[in-house]
Amino acid sequence: MGRSPCCSKEGLNRGAWTALEDKILAAYIKAHGEGKWRNLPKRAGLKRCGKSCRLRWLNYLRPDIKRGNISHDEEELIIRLHNLLGNRWSLIAGRLPGRTDNEIKNYWNTTLGKKAKTQSSSPPPAEQTALSRSRNKKMTIEPKTAEPPSFHVIRTKAIRCTKVLIPAVPSPQEHHSFNSTAIDPLEPQALQSQDKDNFEVHHLGSEEVHETCAGDSDFFSLSCNEFQASYEYAGGDYNFNNNMSPHLDETMFKDWATNYSLDEERANLDLESLAFLLDYQEWP
DNA sequence: AATCTTGGCAACCGCGTGTGA
DNA sequence: ATCACACGCGGTTGCCAAGAT
């Protein structure tokens, strides 16, 4: 279908933003909130296209933007996430609070990409992946695979799906099928046999929910996140919290808890443990 | 000191997807 | 079912500062 340009180019400012423009945009969004980008410039009195305003806000003006150098932990996380997700910068950025997809993309293109290339061109010892090697500066978790480092891309274009169709009250049969579907990606024996205690689920953004229906590996992330959100840890046991996730029930939780023997440590969010999780190359 | 090269980053561009009429 | 619109995403470009010659 035909597609008109997002804005007429005539009479609009382009290039670097001035301090005044920043001020106007920030003030407008503060007063009216985000969204309606197409009309925003006109209403705010900016000679910019809506896209440009959105970008400026998201990448620079947002109050929660974290400025400054990417930490070592962040860097390692980016590498792992890129290994898992490919160039899906927004998904990667979703795991790095305060970092933007543009920032991460730039950082990858200027720094990490080269590192990764260098590492893959001079293969590491067979039993170590590039990722685990870099992490070994701080972590002692054994790599799980003897395969050479691979930076394969799952798909280059993120596919979003904003509708997740999950039955509100699954039948017992549905429990079973949902359960197996949800857990299978995690099921590879590697997770069961190796270092289970280090396994935990990091916070996942809503994007994962979207990704789920696309049927790719992120489904696993959703499943674990959903489970984690649905059960409260109390005195050594996890209790099913009926209020939090209506489409998960106690049966499902018990199956899951039995399989993966939860403990309190796993409830903690921790970059390094996520990194460990991401080391599992069986992920598609 | 002047010029050239390189690297980092902000911004732009085109395309894909969701939504509502 | 189709279309236009709005938004979000990833790739690319262009500017500028720092370093090298």
Side-chain angles (χ1 to χ4, degrees):
Chain A
M1 67 190 76
R3 186 183 170 78
S4 58
C6 74
C7 54
S8 77
K9 305 259 192 291
E10 293 85 17
L12 295 183
N13 291 345
R14 297 189 55 179
W17 280 65
T18 66
L20 179 62
E21 287 177 314
D22 283 347
K23 216 170 182 178
I24 293 171
L25 178 60
Y28 182 88
I29 290 175
K30 199 174 179 183
H32 300 92
E34 294 182 46
K36 313 269 185 192
W37 295 110
R38 194 181 177 87
N39 299 327
L40 186 149
K42 199 178 279 182
R43 296 186 182 194
L46 286 166
K47 289 187 173 182
R48 291 276 180 177
C49 101
K51 263 187 165 184
S52 183
C53 293
R54 176 182 162 269
L55 211 60
R56 184 63 177 173
W57 172 254
L58 292 178
N59 288 338
Y60 195 81
L61 296 176
R62 262 190 320 169
D64 56 332
I65 293 283
K66 194 194 282 183
R67 298 259 145 221
N69 294 338
I70 303 241
S71 70
H72 184 72
D73 280 349
E74 287 176 313
E75 182 178 310
E76 289 183 343
L77 184 54
I78 292 169
I79 292 172
R80 281 170 227 290
L81 288 168
H82 186 270
N83 192 25
L84 173 68
L85 301 169
N87 293 356
R88 291 152 77 186
W89 306 114
S90 63
L91 279 179
I92 295 172
R95 270 82 159 193
L96 290 152
R99 301 294 184 187
T100 69
D101 55 352
N102 206 34
E103 184 179 15
I104 291 169
K105 178 172 57 181
N106 285 334
Y107 189 67
W108 178 270
N109 288 336
T110 58
T111 308
L112 295 181
K114 289 171 194 166
K115 275 190 194 176
K117 217 172 184 179
T118 310
Q119 286 180 347
S120 60
S121 65
S122 54
E127 70 279 7
Q128 276 196 326
T129 67
L131 296 177
S132 59
R133 195 176 61 254
S134 72
R135 192 183 63 246
N136 279 347
K137 285 178 248 167
K138 295 195 309 183
M139 300 176 68
T140 55
I141 299 166
E142 288 296 313
K144 65 164 183 37
T145 174
E147 290 186 8
S150 68
F151 293 91
H152 81 278
V153 173
I154 299 165
R155 56 171 190 269
T156 54
K157 209 70 173 168
I159 295 173
R160 284 178 296 147
C161 171
T162 57
K163 284 184 180 173
V164 181
L165 301 177
I166 300 174
V169 184
S171 69
Q173 290 85 355
E174 284 167 336
H175 293 164
H176 180 74
S177 72
F178 178 85
N179 221 12
S180 56
T181 305
I183 298 300
D184 268 352
L186 172 61
E187 191 62 24
Q189 296 73 12
L191 271 182
Q192 298 249 330
S193 60
Q194 290 197 38
D195 231 333
K196 280 203 304 187
D197 290 341
N198 284 304
F199 166 69
E200 70 181 8
V201 181
H202 187 63
H203 165 74
L204 296 163
S206 59
E207 288 276 354
E208 269 60 34
V209 178
H210 303 155
E211 290 293 327
T212 299
C213 59
D216 68 12
S217 62
D218 287 349
F219 190 29
F220 155 65
S221 305
L222 166 68
S223 303
C224 294
N225 190 45
E226 286 287 314
F227 273 117
Q228 195 171 24
S230 301
Y231 296 91
E232 295 171 330
Y233 184 82
D237 290 317
Y238 276 86
N239 300 317
F240 177 63
N241 178 351
N242 231 347
N243 297 326
M244 296 186 68
S245 192
H247 55 275
L248 298 175
D249 69 10
E250 193 164 2
T251 310
M252 295 159 68
F253 169 65
K254 281 177 180 166
D255 286 349
W256 180 65
T258 303
N259 286 338
Y260 302 102
S261 56
L262 295 168
D263 60 37
E264 185 168 17
E265 283 182 5
R266 291 187 194 164
N268 299 327
L269 302 178
D270 171 9
L271 288 179
E272 288 193 343
S273 295
L274 171 62
F276 169 78
L277 173 63
L278 293 175
D279 243 5
Y280 282 95
Q281 303 272 332
E282 287 84 353
W283 289 36

